[in-house]
Amino acid sequence: MVANDKIKLVRTLRDHNNKVWSVATHQSLPLLATASADKTIIVYDLNNFNVITKLSETHQKSIRSVSWKPSSEFPCLAAGSFDSTMSIWAKTDENFEEYSDDDDIDDDGAQEGNSTNKQWSLMAIIEGHENEIKCVSWSADGNYLASCSRDKTVWIWETDEYNEEFECINVLQDYHSQDVKFIKWGPDQCLISASYDDTIKVFKEPSPGDDLTCVCDLNAHDGTVWAIDFEPMEVVGTKHWRFVSCSDDSSVKVWALTEENRSEELEDWQLQAKLPIKHKGSIYSVSWSANSGRIASVGSDGNLIIYKEIESGKWEIDSIKPLAHGVFDLNCVVWIKNIDESATTERLITGGDNGTVNIWEIEM
Amino acid sequence: MSVLNANPTVYDVSSLPTRHQKRNNDFMLKNEDLSLYKLCLNDIDTSNDLMIKNTQYALEVQKKDLSDNDTSSVEELSSEESYYDDDDEEEEEIDSLEIYDLIASISDPEHPLSLAALGVVNLGDITINYYDESKKGIAEVVVKITPTINHCSLATLIGLGIRVRLERCLPPRFRIVILLKEGSHQSENQVNKQLNDKERISAACENGQLLSVISTMLSTCV
């Protein structure tokens, strides 16, 4: 039996006035960033959902994607826009070159009022792509930023600690035959791309410092692959890797790699599971929970669906929230990582075409 | 600009189906225009067939509507289905003839004719699929278009124009699917994929140049 009342709406944020395309939470700070077709990014305090700042008047077109830099002395995010540029924002001293390591930044999110000497500033605008940027993602160590576009390429940028200088160190081209819709860095500096050409590709550095090369090419779906998410390291340990993908073909699939199928030049990712098909139409986003190991998916049918793994590689539907944003499409879903490991509930965030961001709570 | 298909089949707009009381005459060709678009005599038979088919279909739809109205009254939207931003106005059930009326008068980007007059949109190629039995939730409108020639490079533009028109006119609960009629185009799958990619459409709708072409196409809509 699938319970439909397990997923409870905690809060609705109505600060955007057009489609919400992307939501992202900070790895260690209680910060949420949302990106919208209204050309703004809003940063929220995750503790009370107050608006910390609204970043606007920079992009000419929709902001499609937003990503927090995981390891940074101060909060820093990248945003990719349909105007083909990327913007980098950070909260710093007004004169950030005098920024001191002694400043306590851990509670910036929660204590905005106490840190009046700091402000959110535009650090850089990065140009390079020929047309719309679809997705941006930081590597786990924060050294690299990747961006992908309708121009079929993925660009890898190296950054400095001040987030002012970005140098393109590699352009991954001639891999995808169509738009690259989504990219995400995983463990071990591997990068996964998903495309309008229905494939997923895995890139790795053959040895540290080398350029990324394609180590796996998956004819993954019978339609555009819209997103992937890695199984969080909290859930898996280190000898086994998995990610989940979602597609226009209405399916959600889990892919697995074991140590024996892995070499420096080649990774033989295997389809491990097809999740129960419940969505109708395109599935735009998936997220894998670090708290419970559950997967959430959202799409054009308005459903928020949560799946749980009952035994290794065997999944069933845990719960469904229909019309999660009324009759509108849901574009993105992200689990919030619990700080308190004994928590009995966990939360997730969705963004929809109606311009709202919803916060949901569900029992573990 | 060179005309791709200089000699398209043209239907008499006044005999095409509609629920409007009086057909808007913007597309009735003047005599001098007609000389530009020589009607092929061979095509008249097919055009008549199509006209009859469309008219019969319209009559059936209307008959069905009448019988529906006899038995059931329009139900209130349940609170579950109301959404945040928009007005909760009660809406009447939408049928394919209504969709047809919304898009029939869109101008072809190439010919000074409507998509209906060119047979690009046909009443029989419009279907509405409901996801739920109540017919009040998310539903899908499928419009199959028939380009005038099977290598028409403007098929994506026409499809986009239809999509923009429907997105502006229909309540947000409708998902619009635009497809090329089977066998009507040599790059059918490619065009279909492009016409239904949400992200590409959103980006296209932020392209000022493209939008101005589309607004010209839509300027003839009632």
Side-chain angles (χ1 to χ4, degrees):
Chain A
M1 251 327 258
V2 174
N4 286 340
D5 52 356
K6 276 177 77 177
I7 310 173
K8 292 188 176 64
L9 182 65
V10 175
R11 188 75 181 256
T12 295
L13 309 174
R14 297 185 172 86
D15 301 296
H16 285 293
N17 54 36
N18 206 332
K19 275 177 201 156
V20 173
W21 276 117
S22 170
V23 293
T25 56
H26 194 280
Q27 198 187 41
S28 51
L29 303 171
L31 296 173
L32 165 68
T34 60
S36 164
D38 70 8
K39 303 169 191 162
T40 70
I41 302 154
I42 298 179
V43 179
Y44 292 92
D45 181 340
L46 258 187
N47 291 323
N48 52 25
F49 302 109
N50 288 339
V51 173
I52 291 174
T53 185
K54 189 166 186 165
L55 309 172
S56 58
E57 289 167 15
T58 299
H59 288 292
Q60 312 301 310
K61 292 181 177 173
S62 284
I63 302 173
R64 176 65 181 93
S65 174
V66 65
S67 173
W68 289 101
K69 185 172 180 175
S71 57
S72 180
E73 287 182 27
F74 36 81
C76 171
L77 64 82
S81 165
F82 283 170
D83 70 10
S84 82
T85 70
M86 208 170 11
S87 57
I88 308 293
W89 302 81
K91 189 180 180 189
T92 61
D93 289 345
E94 229 165 320
N95 186 352
F96 43 83
E97 278 169 20
E98 289 170 19
Y99 182 83
S100 141
D101 286 347
D102 299 332
D103 280 345
D104 178 19
I105 52 103
D106 287 337
D107 54 4
D108 272 358
Q111 296 179 21
E112 177 68 10
N114 297 343
S115 48
T116 46
N117 58 325
K118 293 181 191 163
Q119 61 174 26
W120 289 85
S121 349
L122 177 63
M123 311 300 285
I125 298 251
I126 307 173
E127 294 175 351
H129 282 290
E130 274 173 37
N131 40 44
E132 303 102 75
I133 291 180
K134 310 281 193 181
C135 187
V136 293
S137 174
W138 291 92
S139 64
D141 62 10
N143 289 336
Y144 301 110
L145 177 63
S147 58
C148 65
S149 160
R150 183 159 67 86
D151 67 15
K152 307 170 191 172
T153 65
V154 178
W155 292 44
I156 312 294
W157 309 83
E158 196 170 35
T159 174
D160 65 343
E161 58 181 307
Y162 301 109
N163 303 305
E164 293 174 275
E165 301 289 332
F166 287 83
E167 190 193 348
C168 177
I169 55 164
N170 196 357
V171 176
L172 306 172
Q173 55 189 352
D174 305 323
Y175 289 106
H176 285 291
S177 61
Q178 295 288 341
D179 319 18
V180 187
K181 292 291 197 187
F182 192 89
I183 38 163
K184 189 148 194 163
W185 290 92
D188 302 345
Q189 301 289 72
C190 94
L191 178 77
I192 288 188
S193 61
S195 167
Y196 184 90
D197 67 13
D198 304 356
T199 72
I200 293 173
K201 297 186 202 292
V202 183
F203 298 89
K204 252 179 65 181
E205 295 176 345
S207 51
D210 286 357
D211 279 350
L212 291 171
T213 56
C214 184
V215 292
C216 182
D217 186 351
L218 297 167
N219 284 315
H221 286 275
D222 299 321
T224 297
V225 190
W226 282 104
I228 70 109
D229 194 20
F230 289 94
E231 180 169 25
M233 294 309 277
E234 290 84 342
V235 185
V236 305
T238 50
K239 289 289 169 199
H240 145 198
W241 301 264
R242 290 197 293 179
F243 71 86
V244 58
S245 63
C246 65
S247 161
D248 251 3
D249 68 9
S250 305
S251 74
V252 180
K253 295 178 179 177
V254 173
W255 306 84
L257 176 70
T258 51
E259 191 69 48
E260 54 266 33
N261 288 334
R262 185 174 193 247
S263 72
E264 270 164 21
E265 298 82 31
L266 212 64
E267 291 190 350
D268 188 13
W269 287 82
Q270 301 283 333
L271 176 64
Q272 189 193 42
K274 289 183 186 174
L275 270 51
I277 291 189
K278 194 74 191 174
H279 280 293
K280 234 175 134 51
S282 305
I283 307 176
Y284 293 127
S285 181
V286 279
S287 181
W288 202 320
S289 167
N291 312 309
S292 65
R294 288 185 288 193
I295 289 172
S297 67
V298 297
S300 66
D301 63 359
N303 286 325
L304 163 62
I305 302 184
I306 294 172
Y307 314 81
K308 64 175 177 229
E309 190 171 27
I310 46 170
E311 57 186 83
S312 180
K314 197 160 181 249
W315 293 78
E316 64 181 32
I317 290 173
D318 179 274
S319 38
I320 300 176
K321 183 72 199 177
L323 299 171
H325 282 250
V327 295
F328 294 84
D329 286 13
L330 277 74
N331 297 317
C332 47
V333 61
V334 162
W335 291 95
I336 305 178
K337 201 174 141 191
N338 282 343
I339 298 160
D340 174 10
E341 283 180 7
S342 64
T344 57
T345 60
E346 58 180 335
R347 288 182 169 191
L348 69 172
I349 306 166
T350 56
D353 270 4
N354 61 338
T356 68
V357 172
N358 283 347
I359 318 293
W360 307 90
E361 192 162 81
I362 176 163
E363 283 177 14
M364 300 276 260
Chain B
M1 187 176 125
S2 71
V3 176
L4 285 171
N5 179 9
N7 189 16
T9 311
V10 179
Y11 304 110
D12 178 359
V13 179
S14 60
S15 7
L16 290 169
T18 178
R19 191 165 289 161
H20 295 157
Q21 285 294 313
K22 219 177 100 207
R23 169 63 66 177
N24 166 311
N25 280 334
D26 284 355
F27 293 103
M28 297 298 284
L29 293 176
K30 294 184 185 130
N31 283 335
E32 55 266 38
D33 289 337
L34 268 175
S35 62
L36 286 169
Y37 297 93
K38 291 173 243 150
L39 276 163
C40 297
L41 276 175
N42 293 352
D43 286 336
I44 285 178
D45 280 346
T46 36
S47 82
N48 279 338
D49 282 354
L50 190 104
M51 233 165 61
I52 292 162
K53 223 174 90 193
N54 272 341
T55 315
Q56 277 171 345
Y57 188 84
L59 285 172
E60 275 169 34
V61 169
Q62 273 170 337
K63 225 161 72 188
K64 193 173 152 281
D65 277 0
L66 284 173
S67 57
D68 281 354
N69 286 341
D70 285 344
T71 51
S72 64
S73 59
V74 184
E75 284 164 51
E76 294 280 329
L77 273 174
S78 74
S79 61
E80 174 98 49
E81 275 141 15
S82 68
Y83 39 87
Y84 305 117
D85 310 355
D86 287 55
D87 48 322
D88 291 333
E89 237 174 70
E90 198 177 295
E91 68 180 52
E92 285 173 37
E93 199 172 304
I94 285 166
D95 62 21
S96 47
L97 185 57
E98 199 164 336
I99 309 281
Y100 181 81
D101 274 341
L102 285 171
I103 59 178
S105 51
I106 297 173
S107 306
D108 184 85
E110 196 177 36
H111 304 286
L113 293 163
S114 73
L115 295 183
L118 288 167
V120 174
V121 295
N122 298 293
L123 183 57
D125 294 331
I126 299 170
T127 45
I128 303 174
N129 304 318
Y130 294 95
Y131 285 12
D132 57 349
E133 282 178 16
S134 75
K135 299 189 174 183
K136 303 283 180 198
I138 295 173
E140 186 182 71
V141 171
V142 184
V143 177
K144 289 189 180 171
I145 58 176
T146 311
T148 50
I149 41 170
N150 77 348
H151 53 273
C152 182
S153 59
L154 296 170
T156 39
L157 180 60
I158 292 170
L160 191 62
I162 293 172
R163 176 180 288 282
V164 170
R165 171 72 174 158
L166 292 179
E167 277 178 359
R168 285 179 187 171
C169 298
L170 294 178
R173 68 190 187 93
F174 286 98
R175 301 292 181 267
I176 296 148
V177 179
I178 313 279
L179 298 171
L180 293 171
K181 182 133 178 159
E182 296 82 355
S184 69
H185 201 280
Q186 60 191 20
S187 336
E188 193 178 310
N189 293 340
Q190 206 183 319
V191 175
N192 283 348
K193 188 161 188 171
Q194 202 172 346
L195 280 177
N196 296 289
D197 181 286
K198 176 185 184 174
E199 196 175 49
R200 281 202 178 189
I201 295 157
S202 300
C205 289
E206 290 188 52
N207 177 328
Q209 223 175 345
L210 198 54
L211 263 193
S212 81
V213 175
I214 287 171
S215 64
T216 309
M217 286 166 63
L218 300 189
S219 63
T220 46
C221 292
V222 190

